[in-house]
Amino acid sequence: MKPPHILLIVGGGIAAYKACELIRLIRKAGMSVRCVLTDGGAQFITPMTLAALSENEVFTTLWDLKNETEMGHIQLSREADLIVVCPATADLLAKMAAGISDSLATTVLLATDTPVLAVPAMNVRMWQHAATQRNVARLRADGVTVVDPDDGAMACGEYGPGRLPEPVAIMQRVEAALHRVSAAPAERGPLAGRRVLVTAGPTHEPIDPVRYIANRSSGRQGFAIAEAAAAMGADVQLVAGPVHLPTPSGVTRIDVETAREMAMAVDAALPADIAIMVAAVADWRTAGAAEQKIKKTGGALPVLELAENPDILAELAKDPRRPALLVGFAAETENVLDHAQAKLARKGCDWIVANDVSGDVMGGSDNAVHIVTADGVESWSNLPKDQVARKLMEKIADAVVR
């Protein structure tokens, strides 16, 4: 069997030096690798270094007649089993999301039908900027696997998310991506080829820079459902509110904070075959969050004016791109089935998964649920959340694969 071939695009940034160790790991794993070095990347490492490590010619420009004759950019974009962009700078991510092709690297990325794995590295504020997060959401919706950067100290002296993961961790993601590409249909599960959208966790609606409106959702049930869907072979997009949970294997994660950000991320993740809206989205937000911390003033209580958040589930039900199966969740503290049946009719979804959260369900490890459909109610006794997830995904697979 021919060994996998990787095309490594090295972006600009001090983290480019880690690409050298990544090449060594790729070669050690028995794979071949070619490199495209951007102008920015060439400020930190040389073509000679990459050529020596990869034992292949390094490509740097779109305007080399000899290279275009012997190895055109179209062939370069198609011969690989996986394209890895490492480090993926904010500039590269923006151009990828916008479909700009003004260099060899961006032209290769636009011309390819090969799976792409992007490994970002940049300043923490650049990573957290709304523009970068929109670009990442767009790329993930387009099928690009974007790895979340690590937290840590950076060359600029700041600390936070934006640090390039260590080469060993990147290599693990490369191997996982290649496994997904090469998996035989029988290994890929009943949802192979299906696109599944899952939302999970709470949303945080800011009151001022230090306070927010939230709920007790831990995100565990939604993350377990995303993991179970991926295990069945689905292409899973997980839109996650602010929770501290590891990203499930084989899942593309989009992090958001507010309900409006979640609504935009859901819209960007469409189309999908199946949507499972597990997130406990805040119904209201403050009409205008204070720019500075609200202070006590002589005992007078602050007045918070509230505005209604978008109804993500109801809007998705009316969207022309509506998934074929739309599943909502209902967290109730009383009259669980009555409220769930009313929600099913009001929201326009296909199923409602209802549970009683009057205890510690939202932060706990177990769940007891009722599956409410137009045909009736199916109740499941208390189970660990991962078992609920597997059982629900088996029911979904039975409904859509027949």
Side-chain angles (χ1 to χ4, degrees):
M1 183 177 177
K2 182 181 177 183
H5 175 60
I6 307 298
L7 179 64
L8 176 62
I9 296 176
V10 181
I14 186 61
Y17 78 91
K18 290 186 179 180
C20 298
E21 176 63 10
L22 179 60
I23 293 170
R24 190 187 70 79
L25 293 173
I26 292 171
R27 295 293 309 283
K28 185 178 179 181
M31 307 176 194
S32 65
V33 57
R34 287 186 186 273
C35 298
V36 170
L37 181 62
T38 66
D39 289 344
Q43 302 301 311
F44 298 93
I45 52 178
T46 67
M48 183 68 74
T49 301
L50 299 180
L53 292 169
S54 67
E55 297 186 11
N56 271 314
E57 181 181 2
V58 175
F59 300 85
T60 59
T61 177
L62 189 62
W63 310 112
D64 187 318
L65 180 60
K66 178 177 181 292
N67 282 347
E68 279 299 295
T69 300
E70 297 179 358
M71 173 64 77
H73 63 273
I74 299 297
Q75 183 182 349
L76 195 61
S77 74
R78 308 278 172 84
E79 68 162 10
D81 297 296
L82 178 70
I83 296 178
V84 180
V85 186
C86 176
T89 62
D91 178 66
L92 256 178
L93 292 174
K95 288 177 177 178
M96 290 167 65
I100 293 172
S101 57
D102 61 353
S103 66
L104 177 58
T106 53
T107 301
V108 164
L109 288 163
L110 192 61
T112 193
D113 55 3
T114 298
V116 177
L117 174 70
V119 191
M122 64 195 73
N123 170 267
V124 56
R125 294 191 182 182
M126 293 173 71
W127 171 250
Q128 293 175 335
H129 196 282
T132 301
Q133 291 304 306
R134 283 197 302 271
N135 291 333
V136 169
R138 178 71 267 169
L139 288 169
R140 285 171 168 163
D142 289 344
V144 175
T145 300
V146 182
V147 177
D148 287 325
D150 284 352
D151 283 18
M154 301 179 191
C156 61
E158 295 189 1
Y159 186 97
R163 182 185 177 94
L164 191 78
E166 292 304 311
V168 170
I170 299 170
M171 188 62 203
Q172 290 173 347
R173 298 302 295 263
V174 169
E175 291 173 332
L178 287 169
H179 177 74
R180 289 197 298 272
V181 171
S182 62
E187 297 175 327
R188 288 160 55 194
L191 293 178
R194 309 277 181 157
R195 191 174 176 86
V196 175
L197 169 62
V198 181
T199 64
T203 63
H204 289 178
E205 311 299 327
I207 296 171
D208 62 21
V210 298
R211 304 179 180 93
Y212 54 81
I213 299 170
N215 58 60
R216 299 180 187 275
S217 174
S218 67
R220 290 179 182 174
Q221 188 65 83
F223 273 61
I225 288 170
E227 183 172 23
M232 290 186 171
D235 174 8
V236 182
Q237 308 286 311
L238 172 62
V239 179
V243 295
H244 299 288
L245 294 172
T247 304
S249 177
V251 170
T252 299
R253 176 175 177 173
I254 303 97
D255 287 308
V256 299
E257 181 175 356
T258 68
R260 286 179 289 179
E261 289 174 355
M262 183 168 283
M264 288 190 293
V266 166
D267 183 75
L270 295 176
D273 300 296
I274 302 161
I276 310 166
M277 314 304 282
V278 193
V281 182
D283 293 318
W284 304 283
R285 66 180 186 275
T286 55
E291 294 184 0
Q292 304 298 329
K293 180 183 176 183
I294 299 172
K295 298 288 188 179
K296 292 182 180 178
T297 53
L301 296 176
V303 177
L304 296 181
E305 182 181 352
L306 299 179
E308 192 170 351
N309 271 325
D311 190 328
I312 300 174
L313 180 59
E315 290 179 4
L316 184 54
K318 295 182 290 188
D319 194 291
R321 300 164 295 170
R322 182 195 194 279
L325 181 63
L326 178 57
V327 181
F329 268 61
E332 305 292 348
T333 58
E334 60 177 356
N335 302 322
V336 175
L337 289 179
D338 289 341
H339 287 313
Q341 288 166 336
K343 186 172 183 177
L344 180 71
R346 187 174 68 253
K347 301 288 187 178
C349 54
D350 300 302
W351 301 357
I352 287 289
V353 181
N355 60 345
D356 186 339
V357 296
S358 55
D360 66 348
V361 170
M362 290 189 95
S365 58
D366 294 343
N367 208 353
V369 303
H370 309 278
I371 314 298
V372 181
T373 71
D375 297 326
V377 178
E378 182 179 336
S379 298
W380 300 346
S381 59
N382 207 47
L383 293 168
K385 288 183 176 177
D386 59 344
Q387 291 185 30
V388 173
R390 287 195 294 271
K391 194 171 179 180
L392 178 62
M393 289 313 305
E394 287 169 0
K395 183 176 178 67
I396 287 172
D398 288 341
V400 300
V401 185
R402 60 182 177 184

